[in-house]
């Protein structure tokens, strides 16, 4: 990994990167940090600093659903109407768990990334300080009509994962965050991870920053108070490498269900497919990379696992962009 630091210093300067890059491969590790976890107090990052990871958390929801399948409480082809008692008057009766996991359900989204680009607009009708659970999102999409019939096509959908989180709560009989803690964070030894509330953040947590012209402001009024099944969990770089290890070594799910989670279920473009809660990059027909990404105001994240080399790369940031270019530099 020699020479990597100089390359990342250059890229970080060009893109105003704030965050860390952490790489593990063949018992070796590499750590790079740039910027501050707290700009006012000039607090530096370390590999244990917690970052919000936005939609990077969807993989945990997918694993939680797969754990319910392993426990025999549902099947990937189970219909939503058979798993959840909440009424969705305009949802198609044939929407399945598989459809929700692969963004092919066609249900209405509360934040359609193809039509909206300002996440903060959401809180004009529903104050962000009142959003602390999956059920709190329901007024934003519960009574809307379907976008298209289930299974017709891929269309990235945040609300689908909110619904999956509600399924976990109903079938497991406990809060979504508690189920994830018990079945993912604890067995993976992700000691810094958690669904922390903005008003109760633990120590060594990076503050997210939004740039307005030449000044940065905190993202505390831009996101729900507490993250959930569609995103918003906090993890450290070292946590995420432990997650990749636990997943690929079958500490979270049996081999059959792990394979199902990581299977390319729907083609997104020529090189990219989507599994259950995870992106998959192919090259010449072979799987080159599994990865998760997340973007929110003041948050950006990219974490990847490369099956051939077993390399793990984690790049969280407390700015709204940057990890893509850092990962690109590491891959080169």
């Amino acid at each position: 990994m020699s020479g990597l630091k100089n390359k990342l210093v250059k890229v970080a300067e060009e893109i105003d990167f704030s965050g860390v890059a952490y790489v593990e491969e063949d018992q070796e590790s590499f750590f790079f940090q740039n910027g501050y976890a707290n700009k006012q107090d000039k607090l530096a990052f370390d590999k244990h600093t917690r970052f919000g990871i936005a939609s990077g958390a969807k993989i945990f929801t997918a694993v939680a659903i797969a754990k319910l399948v392993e426990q025999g409480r549902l099947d990937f082809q189970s219909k939503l109407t058979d798993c959840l008692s909440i009424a969705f008057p305009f949802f198609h009766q044939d929407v399945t768990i598989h459809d929700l996991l692969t963004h092919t359900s066609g249900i209405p989204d509360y934040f359609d990334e193809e039509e909206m680009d300002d996440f903060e607009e959401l809180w004009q009708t529903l104050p962000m300080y009142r959003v602390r659970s999956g059920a709190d999102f329901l007024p934003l999409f519960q009574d809307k009509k379907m976008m298209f019939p289930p299974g017709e096509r891929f269309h990235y959908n945040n609300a689908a994962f909110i619904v999956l989180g509600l399924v976990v709560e109903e079938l497991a009989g406990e809060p979504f965050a508690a189920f994830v803690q018990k079945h993912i964070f604890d067995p993976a030894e992700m000691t810094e991870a958690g669904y922390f509330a903005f008003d109760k953040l633990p120590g060594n947590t990076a503050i997210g920053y939004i740039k307005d012209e030449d000044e940065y402001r905190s993202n505390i009024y831009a996101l729900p108070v507490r993250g959930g099944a569609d995103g918003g969990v906090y993890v450290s770089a070292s946590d995420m490498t432990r997650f990749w290890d636990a997943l690929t070594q079958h500490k979270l799910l049996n081999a059959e269900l792990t394979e199902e989670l990581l299977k390319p279920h729907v083609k997104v473009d020529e090189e990219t497919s989507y599994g259950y809660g995870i992106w998959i990059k192919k090259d010449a027909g072979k799987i080159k990379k599994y990865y998760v990404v997340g973007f929110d105001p003041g948050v950006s994240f990219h974490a990847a696992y490369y099956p051939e080399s077993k390399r793990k790369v984690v790049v969280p940031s407390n700015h709204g962009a940057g990890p893509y270019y850092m990962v690109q530099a590491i891959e080169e």
Side-chain angles (χ1 to χ4, degrees):
M1 299 184 194
S2 61
L4 184 55
K5 181 179 179 182
N6 291 339
K7 187 188 290 187
L8 293 185
V9 166
K10 186 179 180 208
V11 174
E13 188 176 327
E14 288 171 356
I15 65 173
D16 188 27
F17 176 74
S18 177
V20 311
Y22 185 56
V23 183
E24 281 189 4
E25 184 179 357
D26 294 332
Q27 307 302 312
E28 287 188 47
S29 65
F30 168 86
F31 176 77
F32 172 86
Q33 73 96 31
N34 192 71
Y36 298 108
N38 180 318
K39 293 181 185 294
Q40 288 71 31
D41 296 324
K42 291 185 164 49
L43 298 179
F45 305 103
D46 59 44
K47 69 178 183 178
H48 302 290
T49 301
R50 298 173 177 91
F51 289 82
I53 67 169
S55 287
K58 285 184 171 69
I59 184 65
F60 304 140
T61 304
V63 172
I65 289 288
K67 177 56 71 172
L68 291 177
V69 173
E70 189 176 77
Q71 293 172 349
R73 302 193 198 200
L74 83 166
D75 187 86
F76 292 121
Q77 298 305 323
S78 295
K79 292 184 179 180
L80 177 61
T81 50
D82 295 330
C83 303
L84 192 60
S85 58
I86 295 171
F88 296 98
F90 300 109
F91 281 23
H92 198 291
Q93 296 300 297
D94 291 338
V95 170
T96 65
I97 297 300
H98 169 88
D99 295 329
L100 295 166
L101 283 167
T102 56
H103 303 284
T104 59
S105 67
I107 72 165
D109 200 359
Y110 74 85
F111 182 73
D112 190 334
E113 298 181 13
E114 291 186 10
E115 296 182 8
M116 302 171 68
D117 57 9
D118 186 0
F119 197 71
E120 294 181 77
E121 286 179 11
L122 284 174
W123 319 124
Q124 293 175 9
T125 55
L126 178 66
M128 46 70 62
Y129 54 81
R130 287 170 50 187
V131 182
R132 292 177 180 266
S133 71
D136 293 334
F137 281 90
L138 290 175
L140 295 174
F141 70 91
Q142 186 175 14
D143 295 321
K144 291 185 177 178
K145 294 183 178 178
M146 295 282 292
M147 292 189 286
F148 52 85
E152 182 180 277
R153 58 190 167 93
F154 177 92
H155 184 95
Y156 193 83
N157 193 312
N158 293 287
F161 276 72
I162 292 288
V163 171
L164 289 167
L166 295 170
V167 169
V168 171
E169 292 188 334
E170 183 156 325
L171 296 186
E174 63 181 315
F176 174 78
F179 187 87
V180 172
Q181 185 71 45
K182 184 191 302 179
H183 294 287
I184 300 174
F185 297 160
D186 289 348
E189 299 181 11
M190 297 171 69
T191 54
E192 284 115 21
Y195 291 86
F196 308 118
F198 258 145
D199 48 8
K200 291 182 182 177
L201 290 177
N204 200 11
T205 300
I207 295 171
Y209 290 97
I210 301 166
K211 193 169 188 178
D212 283 337
E213 296 179 356
D214 293 327
E215 291 188 332
Y216 282 98
R217 61 181 169 90
S218 143
N219 65 349
I220 192 167
Y221 297 118
L223 299 174
V225 176
R226 193 179 191 200
D230 69 323
V233 73
Y234 289 84
V235 302
S236 65
S238 53
D239 267 337
M240 200 64 199
T241 59
R242 285 191 285 268
F243 170 76
W244 288 127
D245 284 337
L247 180 66
T248 56
Q249 293 168 17
H250 309 136
K251 293 177 182 177
L252 306 181
L253 300 165
N254 64 37
E256 182 185 356
L257 281 165
T258 302
E259 185 181 341
E260 194 67 22
L261 188 93
L262 299 175
K263 184 192 295 183
H265 286 288
V266 57
K267 188 174 180 179
V268 180
D269 58 38
E270 285 305 311
E271 293 183 343
T272 313
S273 297
Y274 199 81
Y276 285 158
I278 191 165
W279 299 90
I280 301 163
K281 190 72 75 176
K282 284 185 172 184
D283 184 23
K286 287 185 69 175
I287 292 175
K288 177 184 175 185
K289 166 183 175 180
Y290 295 104
Y291 64 106
V292 294
V293 293
F295 305 94
D296 269 340
V299 177
S300 49
F301 180 73
H302 193 125
Y305 175 77
Y306 303 80
E308 281 192 12
S309 64
K310 296 183 169 51
R311 173 190 273 197
K312 300 170 288 275
V313 174
V314 185
V315 185
S317 171
N318 61 340
H319 282 184
Y324 169 81
Y325 300 102
M326 299 295 280
V327 172
Q328 200 174 42
I330 291 167
E331 290 177 345
E332 287 171 357

